[in-house]
Amino acid sequence: MGEVLALVEARLRTALGEPDARAAVTFLGTDRIEVLRFIDGDLVRYATLGMSAQPMADPTAALADPVKGPRAELVLTVRAGLADTDKVLRPLAVLAATPQVEGVIVAPGASLDVGDPLWPGASFSSVLVAEPGGLVEDLELDEPMDPVRFLPLLPMTSNEAAWKRVHEAQALEERWLTQGTDLRDPRRGSVRLD
């Protein structure tokens, strides 16, 4: 477990630079999850560290495989200085603990919800898991372990989350794109959905 997390942290540092802050959260019955903060000009990036320590298990499997299975970490990028986004550390740790707590596999296209605003005054309580590979490349591990994927998170308003449940993730992403939505704006409202 420690070896995988050391490799993951090294990959994050290579892609994002040195973290300027980190926090750790432990939930009853789960492994420790850290959240690292990286400042990149006018952007702040938050990355989880700990979710990939164990593979995510298929909830329908009788036994969880301790070696094989998808592994991931979560990455959230927002514009710095527009909101108190550092309060997102605990919600991100909650999302990263979801595979251990709820026995789900977090994959692109999935919605994750914490039930409360991601940070004070945020109009988002959920996120859309986007496709990996852009900001931080997958981390290959020794066989038979699956690579660690770094999954970007896109904050969603409750209206967007409800619309996505009906129309699927790709349709929501297209709506954001065609309307020029700044997904990194921590103060943005819902995109037009009519």
Side-chain angles (χ1 to χ4, degrees), residues 15-131:
L16 305 176
E18 286 298 310
D20 77 323
R22 65 193 311 144
V25 180
T26 305
F27 303 100
L28 187 62
T30 68
D31 293 328
R32 172 182 160 126
I33 303 285
E34 288 189 82
V35 180
L36 284 60
R37 183 181 71 185
F38 302 86
I39 303 294
D40 180 11
D42 69 337
L43 299 176
V44 59
R45 302 183 196 283
Y46 301 95
T48 63
L49 180 63
M51 182 177 170
S52 62
Q54 299 174 22
M56 293 181 272
D58 181 344
T60 62
L63 290 172
D65 190 314
V67 178
K68 293 168 102 177
R71 294 174 188 257
E73 295 292 351
L74 307 175
V75 181
L76 173 70
T77 302
V78 293
R79 297 208 180 282
L82 301 178
D84 188 9
T85 57
D86 281 350
K87 301 288 190 212
V88 78
L89 300 178
R90 185 170 178 77
L92 272 181
V94 168
L95 296 177
T98 301
Q100 288 184 58
V101 174
E102 297 181 17
V104 298
I105 294 177
V106 176
S111 299
L112 302 173
D113 196 320
V114 293
D116 291 310
L118 293 175
W119 51 81
S123 57
F124 322 106
S125 63
S126 63
V127 294
L128 174 64
V129 180
E131 289 291 335

Side-chain angles (χ1 to χ4, degrees), residues 126-172:
S126 63
V127 294
L128 174 64
V129 180
E131 289 291 335
L135 187 61
V136 184
E137 290 183 26
D138 292 355
L139 173 65
E140 297 295 330
L141 300 174
D142 293 338
E143 291 288 338
M145 293 188 285
D146 289 18
V148 177
R149 302 173 85 196
F150 297 88
L151 302 171
L153 300 180
L154 307 174
M156 292 189 294
T157 66
S158 56
N159 286 345
E160 290 168 341
W163 196 85
K164 180 253 175 196
R165 282 191 292 276
V166 174
H167 299 280
E168 301 298 323
Q170 185 177 357
L172 178 58

